[in-house]
Amino acid sequence: MNTADRSLPLSFLPLTPIRRQKLYALLVLIAQAAIAVTGSIVRVTGSGLGCASWPECHPGSFVPVAGQAEMLHQIIEFGNRLLTFVLVALTLLLFLSVMRVGRRNEIKLLAFLNGLGVIVQAVIGGISVWVDLKWYAVALHFLPSMILVWLAGMLFVKISEPDDGTATRMYPRYLRYLAAASGLALTMTLITGTMVTGAGPHAGDASVLPEDRLQLPIVDLAHIHAGFMYLYLGLVIGLIFGLLASEAFAPVRKVAIALVVFILAQGVVGMIQYWSGVPEALVPVHVAGSGICTALTAVLFQHGYRTIGGSAVVTGSLEGDAAAATVASEKNVEVTA
């Protein structure tokens, strides 16, 4: 084992190429958004208390128990809990891969926060069960998921950049502010969206009483939510027009166009929900759209600050590339021998 490899942590693990790290980051990004969707399915099917305890499903059992609740509700809620372990595995795989090759600290931190966030989310989910799905607990369970989607979107951009490159601001100052403002408008759109949900018809379980719901007029909340969505859309469109006048538009053209399309689609879905009494089938669609918009906004935002250039294109770090070159050389010697 060479000196470069000994200087890296977790030397017993294989070196992960940068393209595979990016794949792991993409899988984490998708999973962070997907678990919010499965959570919404739990809510609209009234399965939120299918497992009436936490971390056990029922007192004395970690798995569904016949007769404790309707079995379909137990299976739906228990299935959502099992997906947490999939997410834990993916975030751990990503974290170990970037640690193994010695990626720069910001990448290690983002990978760590994604994994830590999954654990925190599991605890918040347990608390929401303990308090019988009070609306504020459900809201506090959804919003951190979107934070994790944002962090995963940032990581997806950063992980493809060689660590020995130069940190460079790609957007002019006013566009950086506009990108930040669009992120803030998205945040307010998500927060007001959870308030609409808190006052809406889908409480997560039939046992949740009306007095446990948010006691505000849902029509007014829906209008406020829509207002922030229009602001969000306007800021994103303004950002795109600003980018058109700069060289920074080409790398983000597809992301920017996709973001506008999905925001418009979210608006259409929201209006259909408003006029049709919030049908169950559209709630997971709307939650999925929230995750996609959050991810695309994060990617668009992160493209404003890139690490460009650099020669560590194999693993992303100079130390990792040196170790990979040595491993390849040793294999070549073995084949020759």
Side-chain angles (χ1 to χ4, degrees):
M1 187 182 298
N2 70 11
T3 303
D5 198 29
R6 282 200 303 269
S7 68
L8 294 172
L10 306 171
S11 58
F12 59 92
L13 295 176
L15 294 160
T16 307
I18 196 169
R19 64 180 181 279
R20 197 179 305 162
Q21 296 172 40
K22 189 173 183 179
L23 173 61
Y24 295 160
L26 177 60
L27 291 175
V28 168
L29 174 57
I30 294 172
Q32 294 285 23
I35 200 165
V37 177
T38 60
S40 71
I41 293 173
V42 171
R43 178 160 52 82
V44 298
T45 57
S47 305
L49 295 178
C51 287
S53 183
W54 187 89
E56 298 173 316
C57 184
H58 300 286
S61 176
F62 284 94
V63 298
V65 177
Q68 290 291 329
E70 185 176 331
M71 185 52 69
L72 179 59
H73 291 170
Q74 292 192 62
I75 291 172
I76 292 173
E77 166 63 8
F78 184 69
N80 185 59
R81 293 187 181 192
L82 288 180
L83 287 176
T84 300
F85 294 98
V86 175
L87 195 46
V88 167
L90 287 173
T91 53
L92 181 60
L93 179 64
L94 175 60
F95 179 69
L96 291 176
S97 70
V98 299
M99 288 295 295
R100 172 66 180 100
V101 298
R103 295 305 304 267
R104 63 188 187 271
N105 288 336
E106 60 181 344
I107 289 178
K108 294 176 183 176
L109 177 61
L110 285 171
F112 174 76
L113 290 176
N114 267 275
L116 178 63
V118 174
I119 298 173
V120 172
Q121 272 290 74
V123 174
I124 295 174
I127 293 173
S128 69
V129 171
W130 289 345
V131 299
D132 296 327
L133 305 180
K134 295 290 193 299
W135 76 269
Y136 55 81
V138 176
L140 289 174
H141 193 32
F142 170 75
L143 292 174
S145 288
M146 294 300 102
I147 294 174
L148 293 176
V149 169
W150 181 279
L151 294 177
M154 291 177 61
L155 180 57
F156 178 70
V157 176
K158 287 177 176 291
I159 209 165
S160 63
E161 303 165 352
D163 293 351
D164 61 324
T166 303
T168 306
R169 296 193 181 278
M170 309 300 294
Y171 296 170
R173 182 183 296 273
Y174 76 97
L175 291 183
R176 296 203 304 270
Y177 293 152
L178 199 53
S182 66
L184 181 59
L186 168 63
T187 301
M188 294 306 301
T189 303
L190 293 172
I191 291 174
T192 54
T194 64
M195 295 176 70
V196 173
T197 299
H202 303 300
D205 190 89
S207 66
V208 179
L209 300 175
E211 54 264 31
D212 293 326
R213 308 294 287 153
L214 178 59
Q215 303 300 309
L216 290 174
I218 190 171
V219 173
D220 294 342
L221 291 173
H223 288 161
I224 294 171
H225 175 58
F228 279 113
M229 188 275 292
Y230 295 140
L231 175 62
Y232 170 46
L233 175 61
L235 289 170
V236 170
I237 291 176
L239 175 61
I240 292 173
F241 274 106
L243 289 172
L244 281 169
S246 71
E247 297 179 355
F249 180 71
V252 298
R253 177 174 57 87
K254 292 181 179 179
V255 173
I257 293 173
L259 178 55
V260 172
V261 169
F262 275 103
I263 295 175
L264 291 173
Q266 278 289 83
V268 171
V269 171
M271 285 187 285
I272 294 174
Q273 288 180 299
Y274 181 84
W275 293 111
S276 58
V278 197
E280 289 87 349
L282 287 182
V283 173
V285 174
H286 204 48
V287 171
S290 297
I292 293 172
C293 287
T294 300
L296 291 174
T297 305
V299 170
L300 190 61
F301 174 82
Q302 188 56 52
H303 267 278
Y305 191 81
R306 302 294 305 275
T307 300
I308 61 176
S311 58
V313 295
V314 178
T315 66
S317 74
L318 292 175
E319 295 84 355
D321 279 15
T326 300
V327 170
S329 177
E330 290 173 351
K331 286 183 178 180
N332 186 54
V333 170
E334 289 175 1
V335 170
T336 303

